[in-house]
């Protein structure tokens, strides 16, 4: 167990143990990286295989490369529904994340920069709702939407996606940290109305932090499965998650396995790109949420 | 190439200033206060309206529904009448064998999966934080990537990865004499636990790692001067200092386990023989609702929400008390 020496100051450790600890520490980290990356590697390799060759050859290496044909099949399958699913996912995520970020910013700003009676109670109610997981709301929400005849419409997924109590919590922290009271006072003294003060002074100051809120909300909605699968019946309204699961379950009814596999690989690309390029903001969000 | 200390200074602990109420001098007329409340509520209103309609109202509606039953008269449900049912829906929920079994199943699964996942996350965070770690940024990214994947798509992927005919794992395993079918009834809970661990370990690791980075360098130097290094440093200094992050990740994991739905639902869709359509409590309630038992489903959702709250709040309170006594 040479891992024991991880973190020992260099001047004390003899050279041998130091190397051993380096090997052990990075070995464990490397093993874990293999665990997280091999499934994704398999997915991308499989998506390139010619249909019929999925079950033959090495599962983790290329053979009979036929990616273009697979992609074509996915986009033309069942009348090209896959592009509709992608567009739906983009619509739900973009609109939902934009609206919820703006509303969270306004609410967080109000909770941080104005003092009024009941402020803490309002905040506590919002915070408590973070502790009840969203899926617990999904079923009651479905019952209510059914009562209002809103199920199986864009609204049934969009409206719930526009509320983010966790976003309000983050925005309150961000507003307190990045918007100085003096600046607001100055804007008011200069005769700016409350709305103008918010949109032209506070909002730009909060902007970097708001990217974080937007990102978390965007991915949350993009990844959601339970809510849209409960609310939507028509295939043409579904986001890509629900659609792909449906293709997977129709496996036995003649959907070739390469269709959901290639579809899954394709649907990950936009998110992976966004994710790798915006990494910094993820950490900000996690830290703000965790270390407070 | 970043040494631990430079990494530490790169992201200083974001000290959150206490929320300062707007100073109101003693002589200020009361009307100013009222105006403040009015503008504040203007900013709060759009969120509040959606929050009330999309979160509070459904809960109230579900609670209301859970106390009523619908009686259908006539063969084809010709006339319906709603009647107050008292606690009979709740009695039915606790008498529902499948529902109780699904709760027990998920609690047992969580009791194994959550400690394994958080232990792994803590270990990885400590290793990444240690001096010997290399390529920190790449490792962090590699661990966190699964979090960006939709749970449903990850489950679709694993449903192929674990299938006996396709899996890249079963082949090598059978070479060394281990013959497993990961999607057989006895292995399914392990496979679902694996999917969740795969998806969420990196997320939890990042929270713990971020907390580790906020430990002041002086504290670690002082410990090192006292000869406290390696595992002892981790155990006696680092872990106690990141306790809030550990509590937070545990609470999130408890909530996550309670809402288990996507992974088993995808496996049911994929006709994996080991998963019943009533595997998890949420699957039970949605299924019940499809069959027309809306009132029972409402009661079961209320029971689930309460149970989750009790568990997550209970854990928070328990750790707070222990923290106060320590």
């Amino acid at each position: 167990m040479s891992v024991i020496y991880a973190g020992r100051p260099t001047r004390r450790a003899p050279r041998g143990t130091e190397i051993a600890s380096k090997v052990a520490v990075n070995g464990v980290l490397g093993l874990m990286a293999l665990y997280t990356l091999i499934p994704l590697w398999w997915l991308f390799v499989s998506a390139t295989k010619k249909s019929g060759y999925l079950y033959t050859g090495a599962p983790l290496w290329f053979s009979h490369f036929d990616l273009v044909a697979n992609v074509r099949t996915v986009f033309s399958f069942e009348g090209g529904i896959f592009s509709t699913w992608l567009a739906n996912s983009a619509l739900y995520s973009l609109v939902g994340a934009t609206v919820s970020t703006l509303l969270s910013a306004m609410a967080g700003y109000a909770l941080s920069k104005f003092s009024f009676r009941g402020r803490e109670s309002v905040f506590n109610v919002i915070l408590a709702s973070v502790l009840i997981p969203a899926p617990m709301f999904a079923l009651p929400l479905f019952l209510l939407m059914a009562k209002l005849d809103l199920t199986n419409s864009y609204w049934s997924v969009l409206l719930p996606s526009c509320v983010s109590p966790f976003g309000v919590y983050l925005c309150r922290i961000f507003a307190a940290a990045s918007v100085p009271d003096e600046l607001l006072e100055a804007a008011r003294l200069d005769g700016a109305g409350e709305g103008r003060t918010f949109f032209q002074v506070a909002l730009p100051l909060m902007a970097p932090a708001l990217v974080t809120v937007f990102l978390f909300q965007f991915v949350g909605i993009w990844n959601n499965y339970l809510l849209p699968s409960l609310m939507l019946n028509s295939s043409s309204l579904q986001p890509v998650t629900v659609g792909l699961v449906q293709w997977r379950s129709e496996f036995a009814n003649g959907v070739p396995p390469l269709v959901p596999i290639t579809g899954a690989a394709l649907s990950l690309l936009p998110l992976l790109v966004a994710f790798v390029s915006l990494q910094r903001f993820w950490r900000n969000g996690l830290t703000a949420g965790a270390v407070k | 190439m970043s040494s631990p200390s430079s990494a530490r200074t790169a992201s200083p602990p974001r000290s959150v200033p206490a929320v300062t109420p707007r100073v109101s001098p003693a002589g200020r007329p009361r009307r100013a206060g009222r105006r403040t409340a009015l503008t504040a509520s203007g900013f709060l209103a759009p969120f509040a309206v959606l929050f009330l309609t999309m979160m509070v109202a459904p809960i109230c509606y579900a609670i209301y529904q859970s106390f009523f039953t619908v009686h259908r008269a006539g063969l084809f449900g010709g006339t319906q009448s709603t009647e107050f049912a008292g606690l009979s829906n709740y009695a039915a929920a606790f008498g529902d064998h499948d529902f109780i079994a699904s709760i027990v199943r998920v609690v047992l699964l969580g009791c194994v999966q959550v400690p394994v996942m958080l232990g792994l996350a803590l270990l990885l965070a400590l290793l990444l934080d240690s001096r010997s770690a290399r390529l920190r940024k790449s490792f962090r990214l590699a661990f966190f990537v699964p979090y960006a994947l939709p749970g449903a798509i990850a489950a679709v992927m694993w449903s192929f990865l674990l299938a006996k005919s396709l899996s890249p794992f079963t082949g090598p395993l059978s070479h060394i004499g281990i013959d497993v079918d990961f999607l057989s009834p006895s292995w399914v809970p392990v496979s679902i636990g694996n999917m969740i661990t795969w998806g969420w370990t990196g997320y939890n690791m990042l929270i713990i790692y971020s907390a580790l980075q906020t430990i002041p360098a002086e504290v670690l130097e002082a410990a090192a001067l006292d000869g406290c290094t390696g595992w002892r440093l981790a155990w006696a200094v680092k872990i106690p200092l990141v306790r809030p992050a550990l509590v937070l990740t545990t609470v999130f994991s408890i909530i996550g386990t309670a809402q288990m739905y996507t992974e088993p639902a995808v496996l049911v869709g994929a006709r994996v023989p080991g998963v019943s359509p009533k595997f998890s409590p949420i699957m039970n309630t949605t299924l019940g609702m499809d069959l027309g038992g809306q009132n029972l489903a409402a009661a079961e959702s209320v029971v689930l929400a309460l149970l989750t709250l009790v568990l997550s709040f209970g854990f928070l309170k328990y750790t707070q008390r222990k923290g106060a006594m320590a």
Side-chain angles (χ1 to χ4, degrees):
Chain A
M1 284 287 284
S2 40
V3 193
I4 293 170
Y5 297 102
R8 172 170 282 225
T10 36
R11 57 193 140 82
R12 289 235 192 132
R15 228 183 149 67
T17 23
E18 202 190 315
I19 290 170
S21 102
K22 247 178 216 165
V23 169
V25 166
N26 294 293
V28 174
L29 291 173
L31 275 180
M32 183 63 192
L34 285 181
Y35 171 60
T36 56
L37 295 180
I38 282 182
L40 290 172
W41 173 250
W42 175 88
L43 189 69
F44 284 104
V45 166
S46 298
T48 67
K49 288 187 177 174
K50 198 180 170 84
S51 77
Y53 290 93
L54 189 60
Y55 296 88
T56 60
L60 291 177
W61 200 246
F62 301 95
S63 70
H64 303 87
F65 194 88
D66 203 11
L67 178 63
V68 179
N70 289 339
V71 171
R72 247 189 226 134
T73 313
V74 168
F75 277 103
S76 61
F77 203 71
E78 288 180 355
I81 192 85
F82 187 72
S83 10
T84 312
W85 290 342
L86 282 178
N88 287 339
S89 280
L91 173 84
Y92 293 132
S93 312
L94 278 176
V95 174
T98 308
V99 174
S100 73
T101 305
L102 183 66
L103 298 189
S104 301
M106 287 166 67
Y109 170 75
L111 288 171
S112 138
K113 291 298 168 190
F114 293 88
S115 62
F116 53 90
R117 264 181 57 188
R119 179 173 76 169
E120 290 311 309
S121 336
V122 170
F123 186 63
N124 284 335
V125 168
I126 295 173
L127 207 58
S129 74
V130 175
L131 280 186
I132 307 182
M136 303 294 171
F137 296 106
L139 197 79
L141 197 61
F142 174 81
L143 297 177
L144 195 76
M145 289 279 186
K147 190 91 183 163
L148 300 173
D149 252 343
L150 278 174
T151 47
N152 204 31
S153 71
Y154 279 118
W155 293 112
S156 61
V157 176
L158 266 182
L159 285 175
S161 305
C162 291
V163 205
S164 163
F166 191 62
V168 175
Y169 166 76
L170 286 182
C171 283
R172 185 189 185 173
I173 297 175
F174 292 144
S178 59
V179 183
D181 285 329
E182 297 77 30
L183 218 58
L184 297 179
E185 288 300 333
R188 289 189 185 114
L189 282 179
D190 285 347
E194 291 295 340
R196 220 179 134 177
T197 310
F198 172 71
F199 281 104
Q200 297 198 340
V201 179
L203 208 55
L205 288 171
M206 291 168 71
L210 292 183
V211 177
T212 304
V213 177
F214 178 86
L215 220 80
F216 269 85
Q217 212 31 29
F218 185 93
V219 170
I221 303 170
W222 186 284
N223 290 357
N224 201 344
Y225 174 74
L226 175 60
L227 183 75
S229 71
L230 265 184
M231 295 287 180
L232 306 170
N233 273 326
S234 332
S235 191
S236 61
L237 295 176
Q238 284 168 357
V240 72
T241 45
V242 179
L244 280 172
V245 170
Q246 196 185 309
W247 272 355
R248 173 67 177 102
S249 66
E250 284 163 2
F251 196 49
N253 310 341
V255 176
L258 267 172
V259 169
I261 288 178
T262 312
L266 284 173
S267 77
L268 297 181
L269 286 178
L271 219 55
L272 281 184
V273 170
F275 167 70
V276 172
S277 52
L278 296 170
Q279 257 202 87
R280 187 162 63 89
F281 295 101
W282 294 99
R283 280 196 69 208
N284 288 350
L286 287 174
T287 334
V291 188
K292 217 219 107 166
Chain B
M1 278 295 285
S2 60
S3 73
S5 59
S6 82
R8 215 160 265 126
T9 45
S11 63
R14 185 202 295 262
S15 65
V16 179
V19 182
T20 44
R22 281 177 67 208
V23 192
S24 59
R28 205 167 186 169
R30 202 178 255 154
R31 202 181 299 149
R34 208 174 298 145
R35 212 189 57 212
T36 311
L38 208 68
T39 16
S41 52
F43 281 114
L44 271 170
F47 172 79
V49 169
L50 273 178
F51 180 73
L52 290 176
T53 51
M54 293 297 130
M55 295 183 99
V56 179
I59 295 179
C60 295
Y61 185 61
I63 294 173
Y64 167 83
Q65 279 225 325
S66 69
F67 289 108
F68 288 85
T69 51
V70 176
H71 283 286
R72 287 183 175 82
L75 259 180
F76 300 101
T79 50
Q80 293 187 357
S81 60
T82 309
E83 276 172 27
F84 184 71
L87 290 173
S88 70
N89 285 320
Y90 288 93
F94 283 107
D96 182 347
H97 229 71
D98 293 326
F99 182 62
I100 300 298
S102 69
I103 292 180
V104 172
R105 186 179 300 127
V106 165
V107 167
L108 288 180
L109 206 160
C111 285
V112 178
Q113 187 267 331
V114 171
V116 167
M117 173 179 67
L118 293 183
L120 191 58
L122 177 63
L123 172 76
L124 292 172
L126 287 170
L127 290 181
L128 262 189
D129 192 55
S130 80
R131 276 161 192 267
S132 308
R134 291 286 166 270
L135 302 169
R136 284 196 181 81
K137 269 192 172 161
S138 313
F139 278 131
R140 227 165 47 200
L141 185 62
F143 299 162
F144 194 52
V145 157
Y147 172 76
L149 256 72
I153 292 181
V156 166
M157 183 183 76
W158 279 105
S159 75
F160 288 115
L161 270 169
L162 297 176
K164 227 176 168 182
S165 50
L166 267 178
S167 174
F169 309 120
T170 39
L173 278 177
S174 70
H175 264 296
I176 53 171
I178 306 172
D179 245 331
V180 284
D181 179 2
F182 290 109
L183 297 179
S184 63
S186 49
W187 276 91
V188 151
V190 180
S191 298
I192 291 175
N194 165 61
M195 292 183 200
I196 300 170
T197 307
W198 183 80
W200 292 90
T201 301
Y203 171 87
N204 291 306
M205 182 227 55
L206 213 60
I207 292 181
I208 300 168
Y209 180 69
S210 300
L212 278 174
Q213 302 235 294
T214 63
I215 297 176
E218 306 91 69
V219 173
L220 297 176
E221 268 162 33
L225 280 179
D226 289 344
C228 182
T229 54
W231 277 141
R232 247 169 59 83
L233 179 69
W235 189 253
V237 180
K238 288 182 176 180
I239 294 180
L241 284 174
V242 298
R243 236 178 65 112
L246 291 174
V247 170
L248 186 98
T249 48
T250 311
V251 169
F252 279 178
S253 303
I254 291 174
I255 295 174
T257 304
Q259 59 182 269
M260 188 184 298
Y261 176 81
T262 307
E263 291 82 6
V266 169
L267 292 185
V268 168
R271 318 223 171 141
V272 168
V275 209
S276 86
K278 296 186 162 186
F279 188 89
S280 83
I282 293 187
M283 289 166 81
N284 248 291
T285 52
T286 53
L287 207 67
M289 185 192 60
D290 284 344
L291 299 175
Q294 291 206 353
N295 302 95
L296 177 62
E300 293 187 344
S301 322
V302 173
V303 169
L304 264 183
L306 282 178
L307 200 68
T308 315
L309 261 184
V310 166
L311 282 177
S312 53
F313 257 129
F315 181 78
L316 262 179
K317 288 286 155 213
Y318 172 73
T319 47
Q320 273 170 7
R321 248 205 12 227
K322 259 188 84 178
M325 286 194 302

